[in-house]
Amino acid sequence: MKKHKITYVSPGSIANEMDITQGDCLLSINGQEVKDMLDYRWLMSDEHLLVEIEKPDGEIWELEIEADSEDDFGLTFAPGSMGEDRRCVNNCIFCFVDQQPAGLRESLYVKDDDPYQSFAAGNYITLSNLNNDDIQQIIKHRLSPLRVSVHAADMELRQRMMGNPKAAELFDALKQFSRAGLEMHFQVVLCKGINDGPALDYTIESLLALGDCAKSLAVVPVGLTRHRNGLYPLDAFAKDDALTVITQVGKWQARCQEQTGSRFVFLADEWYVLAGKPLPGLDEYEDFPQLDNGVGMMTLFEDDFHHALKQAYQCAPMDVHGLQRPGNTTVKCEIGIITGRAAGEFMTKLSRRIMESFPAIAVNIHVISNDFYGPGVTVSGLITGQDIISQLTGRCSGLDVLFIPENAFRAGTEDMICGATLSSVSSALGVMAEIGAADGGEFCCQILSFCDNHLKH
């Protein structure tokens, strides 16, 4: 029987309450051997569990547990213990990993393409590294919803774009998933002159034909860095191109909404920014099925921000250290906010709302050009510490705090892509730096809370 060594137990989790600790081994669940992470998640979905644990001294514990299937049991296992994560076997012409400069942390060069990560973390997979047994395992374990990178429904074109003959077998798997009732969300990385235009029309139409299990499609523009020497020549989209894509997808949205009640296909925020068009309204994103793909992120951020600001303005007492005193034009708290070029105007508009509502606060928006990756990369999630330092040195005097976007840091850490950290940026610029929340409402409250505390002291 396989033993799966436990390397971490989440505080407050079911496992923690059952006195399972780091160094223990998982032996079985409900009398069944656990082969891999798919087996683990499937077996743990039962409400009545008999979990067999081996302690470091060889003692065997049998734990009877009643748990909700939504509860996190709280175990992390040693790398490779639950089977190695599947890696990408494609050679895509648009791959962002291939455009990374040398010298970054090792994980930034890893190409994940794992079905479990698609289900558990919302990662997109290509399905080109799976055989039919793998497909049947996914169906058996009910990994739904899945997130699938399609790029093109013309299988000859998809094969050329992905550099892998197996890429042409996509719809064999998608049809099996659909017949089994597994929900699927899709993405297309659009490359100018390759899979746009009529090819995009064909892709949308083909995915719609899969029926009710096809839930949504995100269309995102290819990201191009300046580190493309020796790679397939790709052109960046221009303003007119973005307008064309918006018009094309808009027609499909109207047609889909009429036929199915859902727009089905959604555009990444970058298209509207590039085209100079207003972002769609909140209701046009429905239930935000592609939020993790950058689709509707700015609209939701703005709505949450305005809601929190309105509540703070209405509820704040008149004596909150001058933040809201009528006629107060004396700045008492000055903050800086880092953002990328794509969100520069957007964040400037939000900053004006804060200053109109709370005159004691001055907000400075610092738009960082991405010299690290090149001018074609404009999103805040790829801002580097070294660019912040080089562009803001000598420009932070008078700031009480500098907020850096949360998505510019490795999840759960204070580490940035280039190797800089929150503290190293703060030290280099001589200003207090904080990680700005990715949620608009939380970020608004974070600003107001900092300013209130600053003025108290």
Side-chain angles (χ1 to χ4, degrees), residues 126-174:
T126 66
L127 305 179
S128 60
N129 59 353
L130 306 181
N131 57 36
N132 193 60
D133 287 343
D134 298 322
I135 299 298
Q136 296 310 311
Q137 277 286 92
I138 291 172
I139 292 172
K140 170 190 172 184
H141 292 303
R142 308 299 301 170
L143 294 192
S144 176
L146 286 171
R147 296 186 177 271
V148 183
S149 290
V150 176
H151 309 314
D154 179 326
M155 290 297 95
E156 183 180 344
L157 174 58
R158 186 175 196 257
Q159 180 178 330
R160 291 202 312 270
M161 291 183 69
M162 296 174 59
N164 183 358
K166 285 276 291 180
E169 301 174 9
L170 173 69
F171 275 83
D172 294 339
L174 297 185

Side-chain angles (χ1 to χ4, degrees), residues 35 46 64 111 159:
K35 297 178 182 178
D46 199 325
E64 294 187 14
K111 300 181 182 181
Q159 180 178 330

Side-chain angles (χ1 to χ4, degrees), residues 301-302 304-306 308-310 312-313 316 320-324 331-339 346-366 399-406 432-456:
F301 187 98
E302 181 177 22
D304 289 342
F305 188 95
H306 283 166
L309 186 63
K310 182 179 180 180
Y313 185 80
V320 180
H321 302 278
L323 283 187
Q324 193 187 334
V331 172
K332 295 185 177 180
C333 188
E334 189 161 354
I335 69 171
I337 298 175
I338 297 293
T339 190
F346 173 79
M347 291 305 297
T348 298
K349 180 175 66 173
L350 296 187
S351 72
R352 293 195 191 106
R353 291 293 306 275
I354 288 184
M355 292 186 287
E356 289 169 359
S357 298
F358 297 94
I361 302 175
V363 182
N364 302 274
I365 301 298
H366 297 284
L399 287 184
D400 295 305
V401 66
L402 180 68
F403 288 106
I404 304 174
E406 181 179 343
M432 179 190 294
E434 291 195 6
I435 297 176
D439 177 274
E442 291 179 13
F443 186 51
C444 179
C445 292
Q446 188 178 9
I447 292 172
L448 297 179
S449 177
F450 175 87
C451 292
D452 187 34
N453 289 330
H454 173 75
L455 294 177
K456 287 177 181 177

Side-chain angles (χ1 to χ4, degrees), residues 38-97:
L38 297 185
D39 260 349
Y40 174 71
R41 289 294 181 184
W42 184 57
L43 291 168
M44 290 300 295
S45 65
D46 199 325
E47 294 181 359
H48 309 285
L49 300 172
L50 179 63
V51 179
E52 190 177 20
I53 297 291
E54 182 179 272
K55 306 299 284 186
D57 62 2
E59 183 181 3
I60 304 298
W61 287 11
E62 289 188 347
L63 305 174
E64 294 187 14
I65 300 168
E66 301 289 328
D68 190 298
S69 61
E70 299 298 320
D71 290 340
D72 179 17
F73 196 64
L75 298 182
T76 299
F77 300 95
S81 174
M82 285 289 186
E84 297 297 332
D85 290 342
R86 290 181 181 269
R87 296 291 183 247
C88 179
V89 295
N90 306 310
N91 186 27
C92 295
I93 61 175
F94 51 82
C95 179
F96 195 84
V97 175

Side-chain angles (χ1 to χ4, degrees), residues 121-334:
N123 295 359
Y124 278 85
I125 56 174
T126 66
L127 305 179
S128 60
N129 59 353
L130 306 181
N131 57 36
N132 193 60
D133 287 343
D134 298 322
I135 299 298
Q136 296 310 311
Q137 277 286 92
I138 291 172
I139 292 172
K140 170 190 172 184
H141 292 303
R142 308 299 301 170
L143 294 192
S144 176
L146 286 171
R147 296 186 177 271
V148 183
S149 290
V150 176
H151 309 314
D154 179 326
M155 290 297 95
E156 183 180 344
L157 174 58
R158 186 175 196 257
Q159 180 178 330
R160 291 202 312 270
M161 291 183 69
M162 296 174 59
N164 183 358
K166 285 276 291 180
E169 301 174 9
L170 173 69
F171 275 83
D172 294 339
L174 297 185
K175 289 175 182 177
Q176 290 188 63
F177 293 151
S178 181
R179 286 194 294 269
L182 302 188
E183 294 183 354
M184 294 169 284
H185 297 274
F186 308 104
Q187 77 165 352
V188 165
V189 174
L190 209 62
C191 299
K192 185 175 179 178
I194 297 176
N195 61 336
D196 53 357
L200 178 59
D201 287 330
Y202 182 67
T203 298
I204 297 172
E205 187 172 28
S206 299
L207 293 175
L208 281 169
L210 292 170
D212 292 341
C213 289
K215 293 301 180 182
S216 71
L217 166 65
V219 179
V220 302
V222 63
L224 303 176
T225 81
R226 63 183 179 86
H227 306 283
R228 289 194 56 84
N229 292 338
L231 299 179
Y232 190 96
L234 292 173
D235 295 323
F237 286 98
K239 179 177 181 178
D240 287 347
D241 302 318
L243 289 168
T244 298
V245 172
I246 291 171
T247 300
Q248 179 183 9
V249 168
K251 293 177 180 178
W252 277 105
Q253 288 177 323
R255 172 178 164 183
C256 292
Q257 190 168 32
E258 182 179 350
Q259 293 179 353
T260 69
S262 169
R263 292 169 177 80
F264 178 69
V265 56
F266 302 90
L267 290 170
D269 295 357
E270 295 101 306
W271 293 111
Y272 301 100
V273 173
L274 181 58
K277 298 279 287 184
L279 292 163
L282 201 67
D283 61 337
E284 294 180 61
Y285 289 104
E286 300 174 9
D287 60 350
F288 288 86
Q290 295 277 353
L291 189 62
D292 291 341
N293 217 352
V295 177
M297 187 177 295
M298 293 171 73
T299 295
L300 184 60
F301 187 98
E302 181 177 22
D303 185 74
D304 289 342
F305 188 95
H306 283 166
H307 182 71
L309 186 63
K310 182 179 180 180
Q311 281 195 321
Y313 185 80
Q314 290 175 340
C315 298
M318 299 301 291
D319 60 348
V320 180
H321 302 278
L323 283 187
Q324 193 187 334
R325 288 179 183 158
N328 184 356
T329 57
T330 302
V331 172
K332 295 185 177 180
C333 188
E334 189 161 354

